[in-house]
Amino acid sequence: MAVCVAVIGKDNSPKFISCLNPELELQFHYKVHTSLDVVEEKLSSAGINTGDVRELYLGLLYSTEEHKIFGYVTNTKIKFIVVVESANTLLRDNEVRTMFRRLHNLYTDVVCNPFYIPGDPITSKNFDDTVKSIMVNNI
Amino acid sequence: MFLTDDNLLTMSAVPSGFDFPSELSTKPFALIGLTGLDTLNNAIHRTIWDAFSNNRRSDRAPVHFKLLGPAHEFPPPKAKRNTYEWYIPKGILKRNWMNKHLNEIPAVVAIFYELDWEDPQWNEKRIECASRVQSMRVALAGRNTRIAVVLIQQTAPLPTGEDMTAAERATALCTSCELNAKSLFVLPHGDHLHGYTVRLENVFYDLALNYYHHEARNVKSHRDQLNKTTHQYLFVRHQLKIGFLNELKQDSHTAQKHYLQAYNNLLEVRIVDTNNLEVKTVAGFINYKLCKLMFQQNLPRDAINQFRQHIEMFRNCIGPKDLAFEHCAWMSKQFSVFGDIFDEAIRQGLPALQTQHPGFYYQQAAQNAIERKTSCQELCKSVTEYPNPDPLMGAENLEFYGQRPWRPGKLSAEPPDPAKEKIGVLALQYKEKNTNHSMLIIGLLGSAISQFKTYRCPRMRRQLVVQMAEEYFSSQDYGKALTLLTHMLWDYRCEKWWLLLSNILVRALGCAFLAASVQDYVVLSLEALGSCAQLHEEEKTRVFGNLERLLKGLPPDPEPNLPQEEVDHARQLWTSSKVGDVFNIAIEMNNITGCIESKAQFTQPQYQADQHVTIEVYIRSCCPHPLQFSKLTVTVNNPTYSSEFAVCESSSNESGANPLLLFHKNEVKRFVCQFLPDVQDVGKEIQIGSILLYLGSEKGRCAILRFTGTGSEPSSVDISCPELQHFRPSSADMPDFDGIQPVATAEIVPRDSKLEVTVVHSTPALLGEWYPIKVILENKESNMISEMSMDINLLSNNEDPSLEQATQICESISDHIVSLPLKISVGNLDPNCNIQKLFYMRGHRIGNRNIMIKVSYNLSVGQDGLDNNNSCIKETTVMIPVVKPFDITAKFFSLKFEPIAKSFAKEPFVVMPHVSCVSPCSLVIENSSIELSGHIKSVDDEVKSQLKLISLKNGETGTEAYCVTADQANDQPVALGIYTLQWRREDTPELVTSSSVTLPTVRVESAPLFIEMCLPAHGWVRTPMAVSYHIRNHTTCLLDLELNMEASDAFMFAGHKQLQLRILPESVKTLDYNLYPLLSGLVALPRLRLTISDKNDYPVKQPQLTELLDRSLPSHVYVMPQGKGNPTPIAIPS
């Protein structure tokens, strides 16, 4: 079960952040923001050995006492961040991957909306609801 | 960014607390005592001591030397215990033990003594030495310290085995000192002292290793006597000691093994409230040693794992609830110390990762320090005074590490005295309350920040800086907190993390209020009112209200959630005179995402000097409440100065606020600023420097909002996809602010000239002629033109760069050497008048010429009542093709008017120049002449032009003929000469041009003979006609020829039919014949034949002769029929 899901634009500005516990929103904003350090580093080091298709899933970015943070970057440099509680040991890597893949599909739907201007924060009820259900149901 | 990590650190001087003892953290070295050296009075001893103790580099043996005085006292050894059966340990680790072995009990004592083998007082000295050794033994009684004797000698030693006295005396000395022969050393004082000391040092080191090994075995031997029920502490203590001794022995592997055992033994100890602190303290020590050794052995993963397990193990051993802060302090210390050793390992060359570096541990340490602070605030708030008597007395001198001073050496099994316990806790709480937690936290955060910077985690660093600011805030250092926060605002703004930005804004606004910083308060307020700040509507209303109060000269209301006493203090600051004064604050709006945005543009990329420059300024407010400004100005910069233009100003009386400058929420307004450019700016670029908006009244409090007008403010709109911004809806009745493209620069260009320049000429120009070009200047300006001048220049041509050299331009033909550009001054010209100027161009090569005529003048404009002297320029370009007037070809003919390809020396031939007119206009040939070269001579004495005054139209050709001879044969073709034509256009009689062409060359061959036939133009039937042949010998030989005159049907003739001729060199033979024509018409003449006698060396060959005859002699003649009447004889030409 994820506790926070974030979509970050290519300029590293937040496009969408949702967390299960709204009281901790600020804390998660900081967490997601700091995790971008690792994303940037991974992207810049991946840039050196280009050639084959880059793996979009970045894996575990870093873990703290309370949380594990996973990352995923699309080819257009849109970043997805998922925060999972460290206590949740049941979650397997494969499930995290599936979560990201679903998020990517969802994001694609948002961008396909002709009324959405790319680069704007995402304000979509459907996206919001589906992300919430992904977080809760872990699918 | 002024914020460096250096000053972050200096901002946070770290106070010590809960520090690890220095004996734990220093690297253990074997201790070696040196005695018998009088370093104060004896120079030799001094140098020896220096050689041992100085320059302890890493390549030297890992030992530590200690200088012992003559009567040094060592700590007395405890009585040896035979059995541990009844012994109950009072604690885990004694405080003095490590220090004792590090600094007080040497592994080896070296006794220095000055004694030469040949010393005259050998015996006395031997005895004295022995007594010294003996007294040292006594001092070290009960210890296993190794003793060595070093003899300082003046004479250099002989090789071993050669000096019999030395060997003998050494044995004697050993015996009297009861010393092993291997422990006696000789130190020759003199050369190579360093080499000797290094060797001695290594020997001492070996002895020391031996000692520590022995000691460790000694401790180990106690193990059998211990039992698990009562001696749990000893299991820990003994393993720890063995580990430490091994460390002294520099055997880190074994040391690590024993430390680990000690640690595991410690984990078996049951932890209760009374021994909690002691166990944790010792656990921390052992863990520290373990991790440090693991890093030393390059096992960073093991070290990190060990540390994780350690933390995991003790995380929940909080101990007594009233002292929870103590546990937090301990945790914080564990993390920070691990960070330190990790950092040290990195400095020794260990590579670290972005995700695994000391910063995380410092951060965690800071986190724990924050928890400590929280728990302290909770637990210690009621403590007001320190208990008397001091229960913490003697805390520095406890026998064991980690015990409580009010119940030292008590075993955990004994129940504590509740009253004493309570007082002790109270004392600790009181101390804790007075600890400066913020400084501790800030120090740790500072360490973490510098680590995160090193490992490229800028965002993590930012978050920590915000936390640090938070700590400064709570330690009431609002200035520093504000500085840090405002710096961080910038970074979060750039990446558009508005929630974080808003959070920091609120905190910073609080700081600014408490620090009574007007400038920051206004800036932060403006940003808080902006659309990016995610604040509640009520919050924004409050901020807006405060901003209004401030501009009216009233102190703002306090921010919420601030401590009351601080608010009171801040109120005083606000009302104090410093703040109350009239002020003007300049605010750089492009540094913040404020509630006011502005864009400005020039309406055109270029303005003419007499045109009004127009700047459009768009201003948008997203302040939720109406904002009234008092003034709007625009500054315009050019390279040398800047000028300010007021766009919109409130009327002078204070009461009338300008409704144009009142902005409602999301309102966009457009302002126009117009001005005439300065004449000096012509050709330069002007730039919008800034847009200034005045908030508040200029006479009272006023904030000047400065925009760059480029719209580069980090606004909410994502500018990464500008092409998509058109899709953004904007309200129809307002300018589309997002769609406006700022144009910050414009060029001032000279005004368009109204002078009319007409160029009249009859194209094309002909090659070589002075081609007149007429320029008509007509003043269509409304004012008089003065100081007009024309610059005429030839534009360079890319295809033919040398065309300029083949062109001449001049004003009058007489002085035609003028360098370009040609300058013609024209003078003044009244409106609607015109003036004509003529100039000439001559092209020496065909091709197109581009001529630029640039007219510059001054126009006195009395525009707008200003006496403006405008300099204007008008440029015109004319393209003039230059073409050939004539095609001149020359052809050669024989005297028979047959075209010839070659001529013969001294034989006349005809040159005919053909002049064909290719000019589109008719040309008149004034004269023509031929100038022959040296080898060619004219046959006629007087040569007259046959083309004189002939007019040729396009396509017509004129021809004339000249009869010339070449005087001698030549291998090379002979130049004939130059043909010159003087011509003019039919309509311009005065401009005569002379064109010359070189006539073609002709081959001249030699001819040995020249035959000429004198023949009348025609004859009459039956009328005799006289004919003569002249045969000329051009050779230098005598020619023998045979002449034959062939008979002809058409003639009868008189003369030689056959003749042997003999012609002298350079002489002429003339043969006369009388022909009597029988037939009329064009009849063949009797053929003259010349043959040569068959001699080989003859200069003349037969074929040559035949060709000569064919060429020179006419073959036919016209014979007229006989008219009526008497025939008249035709005179024979002479």
Side-chain angles (χ1 to χ4, degrees), chain A:
Chain A
M1 188 169 93
V3 286
C4 175
V5 165
V7 179
I8 310 295
K10 63 176 173 188
D11 55 348
N12 284 339
S13 65
K15 300 301 173 212
F16 177 86
I17 297 187
S18 168
C19 36
L20 276 190
N21 184 352
E23 283 170 22
L24 296 176
E25 197 185 4
L26 185 67
Q27 185 205 329
F28 280 119
H29 269 257
Y30 273 119
K31 277 231 154 73
V32 171
H33 185 238
T34 49
S35 73
L36 291 178
D37 284 334
V38 189
V39 174
E40 291 279 283
E41 184 72 13
K42 289 205 176 196
L43 287 182
S44 68
S45 62
I48 300 161
N49 43 16
T50 49
D52 43 22
V53 179
R54 189 174 56 79
E55 163 79 279
L56 302 180
Y57 177 57
L58 296 180
L60 180 68
L61 299 177
Y62 77 99
S63 58
T64 63
E65 301 281 318
E66 309 101 46
H67 294 112
K68 285 183 186 160
I69 301 173
F70 295 90
Y72 181 98
V73 179
T74 71
N75 286 322
T76 49
K77 299 277 182 292
I78 305 294
K79 291 122 193 157
F80 300 120
I81 308 285
V82 166
V83 185
V84 179
E85 277 179 331
S86 286
N88 184 0
T89 47
L90 292 170
L91 194 67
R92 277 172 307 182
D93 196 53
N94 225 9
E95 290 169 326
V96 181
R97 276 173 194 268
T98 323
M99 215 188 292
F100 277 125
R101 222 163 292 138
R102 284 206 59 195
L103 270 176
H104 198 166
N105 287 340
L106 269 179
Y107 176 75
T108 316
D109 291 347
V110 169
V111 177
C112 288
N113 178 357
F115 297 103
Y116 173 75
I117 298 174
D120 276 6
I122 298 170
T123 47
S124 151
K125 191 169 180 301
N126 178 44
F127 188 76
D128 195 55
D129 291 348
T130 324
V131 167
K132 282 245 159 57
S133 82
I134 289 178
M135 280 201 280
V136 174
N137 301 325
N138 195 16
I139 321 159

Side-chain angles (χ1 to χ4, degrees), chain A residues 8 11-15 17 25-26 29-30 32-34 36-38 40-41 61 65 117-120, chain B residues 315 354-355 364 456-460 462-463 466 492 495-497 499-500 503-504 718 721 724 727-728:
Chain A
I8 310 295
D11 55 348
N12 284 339
S13 65
K15 300 301 173 212
I17 297 187
E25 197 185 4
L26 185 67
H29 269 257
Y30 273 119
V32 171
H33 185 238
T34 49
L36 291 178
D37 284 334
V38 189
E40 291 279 283
E41 184 72 13
L61 299 177
E65 301 281 318
I117 298 174
D120 276 6
Chain B
R315 180 194 296 284
Q354 192 196 30
T355 48
Q364 204 58 45
R456 294 183 305 280
C457 300
R459 296 178 185 82
M460 194 62 149
R462 262 171 245 159
Q463 191 198 344
V466 171
Y492 285 110
E495 289 197 332
K496 298 173 186 155
W497 285 74
L499 183 72
L500 302 182
N503 184 44
I504 298 171
D718 192 345
C721 307
L724 296 173
F727 295 107
R728 203 173 290 287

Side-chain angles (χ1 to χ4, degrees), chain B residues 262-331:
Chain B
Y263 189 80
N264 289 334
N265 288 341
L266 185 68
L267 293 184
E268 285 173 24
V269 173
R270 203 167 69 89
I271 303 170
V272 290
D273 278 1
T274 42
N275 72 351
N276 181 292
L277 180 63
E278 183 171 9
V279 171
K280 279 195 298 190
T281 308
V282 177
F285 288 2
I286 304 175
N287 177 65
Y288 172 80
K289 279 291 187 192
L290 269 174
C291 292
K292 200 168 175 177
L293 285 174
M294 283 165 176
F295 274 123
Q296 266 169 27
Q297 292 173 67
N298 205 12
L299 301 167
R301 276 170 203 285
D302 291 2
I304 292 167
N305 271 338
Q306 162 63 31
F307 181 73
R308 283 217 180 116
Q309 282 172 15
H310 173 63
I311 291 300
E312 229 22 76
M313 207 61 81
F314 289 96
R315 180 194 296 284
N316 297 318
C317 295
I318 298 169
K321 290 278 173 289
D322 293 337
L323 297 173
F325 52 83
E326 224 176 37
H327 177 68
C328 297
W330 180 83
M331 287 287 280

Side-chain angles (χ1 to χ4, degrees), chain B residues 462 464 546 575 592 749 943 1083-1084 1126:
Chain B
R462 262 171 245 159
L464 293 175
N546 277 338
T575 45
I592 65 170
V749 294
V943 184
V1083 293
N1126 292 325

Side-chain angles (χ1 to χ4, degrees), chain B residues 34 105 178 214 240 459 751 845 966 979 1018 1065 1111:
Chain B
L34 305 182
I105 305 170
E178 297 169 42
H214 221 263
L240 207 155
R459 296 178 185 82
R751 60 187 291 282
R845 188 132 40 88
Y979 182 68
H1018 58 88
R1111 179 175 76 225

Side-chain angles (χ1 to χ4, degrees), chain B residues 784-798:
Chain B
M784 194 185 80
I785 287 172
S786 59
E787 295 170 44
M788 179 153 58
S789 70
M790 268 199 304
D791 276 325
I792 295 151
N793 206 350
L794 188 71
L795 292 179
S796 55
N797 188 336
N798 287 337

Side-chain angles (χ1 to χ4, degrees), chain B residues 221-488:
Chain B
S221 68
H222 301 320
R223 193 177 183 278
D224 301 337
Q225 304 172 13
L226 306 182
N227 67 65
K228 287 251 169 179
T229 47
T230 46
H231 296 146
Q232 265 188 326
Y233 283 0
L234 291 185
F235 276 103
V236 179
R237 187 194 294 173
H238 288 172
Q239 288 301 329
L240 207 155
K241 283 184 175 178
I242 299 169
F244 193 77
L245 289 168
N246 272 302
E247 229 187 323
L248 281 164
K249 206 184 135 189
Q250 310 302 320
D251 183 352
S252 44
H253 187 72
T254 318
Q256 185 200 329
K257 201 177 84 189
H258 288 282
Y259 281 134
L260 194 62
Q261 220 148 29
Y263 189 80
N264 289 334
N265 288 341
L266 185 68
L267 293 184
E268 285 173 24
V269 173
R270 203 167 69 89
I271 303 170
V272 290
D273 278 1
T274 42
N275 72 351
N276 181 292
L277 180 63
E278 183 171 9
V279 171
K280 279 195 298 190
T281 308
V282 177
F285 288 2
I286 304 175
N287 177 65
Y288 172 80
K289 279 291 187 192
L290 269 174
C291 292
K292 200 168 175 177
L293 285 174
M294 283 165 176
F295 274 123
Q296 266 169 27
Q297 292 173 67
N298 205 12
L299 301 167
R301 276 170 203 285
D302 291 2
I304 292 167
N305 271 338
Q306 162 63 31
F307 181 73
R308 283 217 180 116
Q309 282 172 15
H310 173 63
I311 291 300
E312 229 22 76
M313 207 61 81
F314 289 96
R315 180 194 296 284
N316 297 318
C317 295
I318 298 169
K321 290 278 173 289
D322 293 337
L323 297 173
F325 52 83
E326 224 176 37
H327 177 68
C328 297
W330 180 83
M331 287 287 280
S332 170
K333 191 67 200 172
Q334 300 305 306
F335 278 107
S336 86
V337 161
F338 187 74
D340 286 342
I341 45 180
F342 197 171
D343 190 33
E344 193 188 312
I346 288 164
R347 262 182 255 138
Q348 305 293 334
L350 180 79
L353 301 172
Q354 192 196 30
T355 48
Q356 187 56 260
H357 60 78
F360 287 103
Y361 298 96
Y362 289 127
Q363 187 200 3
Q364 204 58 45
Q367 207 58 48
N368 279 302
I370 292 169
E371 278 171 35
R372 173 185 174 187
K373 182 176 140 189
T374 329
S375 112
C376 162
Q377 281 167 350
E378 210 173 283
L379 294 171
C380 313
K381 58 184 172 220
S382 57
V383 185
T384 47
E385 62 179 20
Y386 196 71
N388 199 10
D390 184 4
L392 300 184
M393 263 250 278
E396 302 304 313
N397 307 314
L398 285 173
E399 191 184 1
F400 290 96
Y401 282 117
Q403 291 194 340
R404 299 294 185 196
W406 61 87
R407 47 174 167 79
K410 287 273 166 58
L411 285 185
S412 49
E414 293 173 51
D417 176 352
K420 264 194 176 179
E421 200 69 22
K422 200 178 167 197
I423 293 175
V425 167
L426 218 57
L428 286 177
Q429 285 181 339
Y430 182 84
K431 277 191 125 175
E432 181 72 10
K433 195 181 182 185
N434 290 324
T435 310
N436 189 345
H437 290 105
S438 293
M439 279 343 267
L440 280 173
I441 297 168
I442 287 164
L444 290 168
L445 285 173
S447 306
I449 285 168
S450 62
Q451 292 288 342
F452 277 108
K453 192 185 180 190
T454 315
Y455 293 102
R456 294 183 305 280
C457 300
R459 296 178 185 82
M460 194 62 149
R461 179 174 165 267
R462 262 171 245 159
Q463 191 198 344
L464 293 175
V465 174
V466 171
Q467 276 186 21
M468 194 188 249
E470 205 64 42
E471 265 329 298
Y472 275 119
F473 183 84
S474 72
S475 67
Q476 295 163 13
D477 192 342
Y478 304 117
K480 272 179 188 162
L482 191 57
T483 314
L484 292 177
L485 287 175
T486 43
H487 281 302
M488 290 310 112

